[in-house]
Amino acid sequence: MIFSKAIAIVLPFFGNIAGLFGIFAGILGIGFLIGFHELGHFLFAKLFHVDTPTFSIGFGPRLLTKKIGETEFSLSAIPLGGYVQMTGMGEAEEGKHSRSRFSFSAKPFYQKFLIMSGGILFNLMFAYFAFILIFMTGMPQSRFTYPLYAEAVVEAVENDSPAAKAGLLPGDTIISVNGKPFESGATFYNDMATLINTPATFKIKRSGQEQTITFTPSVKTMRGTSVAISGIMLKNGALAPMSLMQAIGNGISLANKYIYGTIASFK
C-alpha cells in the first residue's frame, strides 16, 4: 500500500521532468535552426564583402559575447530569435553608407537577393542533410517516416469504417489488395485513395491462415479532390541503416515530400 502510494507520487514528478526536458530540448532545437538560418545570411554577406557588425542569437540577458574580426557575436538567454546586422540595410543606413563598397545597399540586385535568401537556402540544406543522415544511421519507429516505411501489418482499424465493418482486425497481415502484392505503406495508401466507389479485395493472413475480405471504401473530399477512405492504420516500421547512395536518394525524396506538403498546405 505504501509502495503504491509512493509510486503514485513519484511518477508524476518524473513525468513533469520529462515534459520540461522536452520543452528545453525543443527550445534548443529552435535556437539551433535560427542560428543556422542566420548563418546563411551571414556567410552570403561575407561572400559579397558586406560589413556585418553584429551576429546575434536570442533575446534577453546576454550569456556570451565575442568579437571576431569586425563582427561581434552574441548569444542571449532565450534562443528564439536572431539577426545579422549589415551595413547599409534600412533607410537610415542606406543614406549613410550608400557610397561604401562594403554596404549592402551598394550591391547589385542578385547579391542582395542571395544574401536575403541565404537563411532559407541554409534551412533547406539542413533539411536534406538531416534526412540523409537519418537514413544512413537508421531510426526507430517515428511518425516522420510514416507511411513511407509502414509494414504490411494492420495497427488499428477505425470504428465504423468500411474496413471495420468488413471484419478487418488489428494484427492482420496484408498480403495483397485486388491482386496487387503489398509493396510499401506509401504505395498502399496511394492505391487505396483511388478506389472511389470500387470494391477492395484484401487477401490477409490471420493466425497463420489466409483469408479474403472485401469492402468498398467510403469517399471524402479533401482540398477539392475526392479520395477513398478505408479507415486502416498500418504498423509503422523501424528504419534500418542504408548505404550512402540509398540514403541520399531516400533522404532527398522524403525532404521533398515535406517541402511539397508545406507548400500545398499554404496553397
Side-chain angles (χ1 to χ4, degrees):
M1 185 70 176
I2 295 175
F3 180 75
S4 63
K5 287 184 177 179
I7 292 294
I9 293 172
V10 170
L11 280 180
F13 172 76
F14 282 107
N16 291 335
I17 293 296
L20 290 174
F21 178 78
I23 292 172
F24 179 71
I27 291 174
L28 287 181
I30 292 172
F32 172 79
L33 290 177
I34 291 171
F36 203 71
H37 176 93
E38 297 302 330
L39 181 63
H41 295 306
F42 177 78
L43 291 181
F44 272 102
K46 287 296 186 182
L47 177 65
F48 298 124
H49 306 290
V50 175
D51 284 338
T52 54
T54 306
F55 183 108
S56 178
I57 300 298
F59 59 90
R62 288 190 174 187
L63 302 178
L64 296 171
T65 300
K66 176 72 174 179
K67 188 164 186 177
I68 302 175
E70 63 164 14
T71 306
E72 181 181 72
F73 295 87
S74 63
L75 175 66
S76 298
I78 306 174
L80 296 180
Y83 68 92
V84 177
Q85 181 186 0
M86 301 180 204
T87 300
M89 286 195 71
E91 295 181 3
E93 287 283 307
E94 285 183 13
K96 184 179 179 181
H97 300 281
S98 59
R99 295 184 179 180
S100 172
R101 64 188 182 92
F102 301 111
S103 170
F104 175 84
S105 60
K107 300 301 177 181
F109 173 78
Y110 82 93
Q111 293 185 5
K112 291 179 180 178
F113 177 80
L114 287 174
I115 291 171
M116 297 306 295
S117 303
I120 297 174
L121 291 175
F122 264 52
N123 285 144
L124 289 174
M125 287 169 52
F126 176 77
Y128 285 112
F129 172 79
F131 279 117
I132 290 171
L133 186 62
I134 286 172
F135 282 102
M136 284 184 62
T137 59
M139 189 178 185
Q141 291 184 1
S142 169
R143 61 185 179 87
F144 291 109
T145 57
Y146 188 86
L148 293 178
Y149 300 95
E151 298 176 358
V153 179
V154 178
E155 178 78 15
V157 182
E158 186 179 347
N159 293 333
D160 297 324
S161 66
K165 293 176 180 178
L168 196 69
L169 299 175
D172 289 345
T173 299
I174 300 172
I175 300 173
S176 65
V177 180
N178 289 344
K180 181 179 179 180
F182 183 93
E183 296 177 4
S184 67
T187 302
F188 170 79
Y189 283 116
N190 287 336
D191 291 344
M192 290 299 299
T194 63
L195 298 179
I196 300 173
N197 299 323
T198 302
T201 300
F202 279 63
K203 181 181 283 188
I204 64 167
K205 182 177 286 187
R206 180 185 297 169
S207 301
Q209 296 185 347
E210 293 187 4
Q211 300 184 27
T212 299
I213 293 176
T214 301
F215 62 88
T216 301
S218 59
V219 179
K220 291 185 179 180
T221 301
M222 302 176 65
R223 297 176 185 168
T225 303
S226 296
V227 295
I229 303 295
S230 59
I232 301 171
M233 177 177 287
L234 299 177
K235 181 180 179 181
N236 198 19
L239 190 62
M242 298 181 180
S243 67
L244 175 60
M245 296 309 297
Q246 288 178 315
I248 291 173
N250 284 276
I252 291 174
S253 177
L254 187 57
N256 287 341
K257 173 181 176 290
Y258 279 104
I259 291 169
Y260 295 151
T262 302
I263 294 172
S265 298
F266 279 109
K267 181 178 178 181

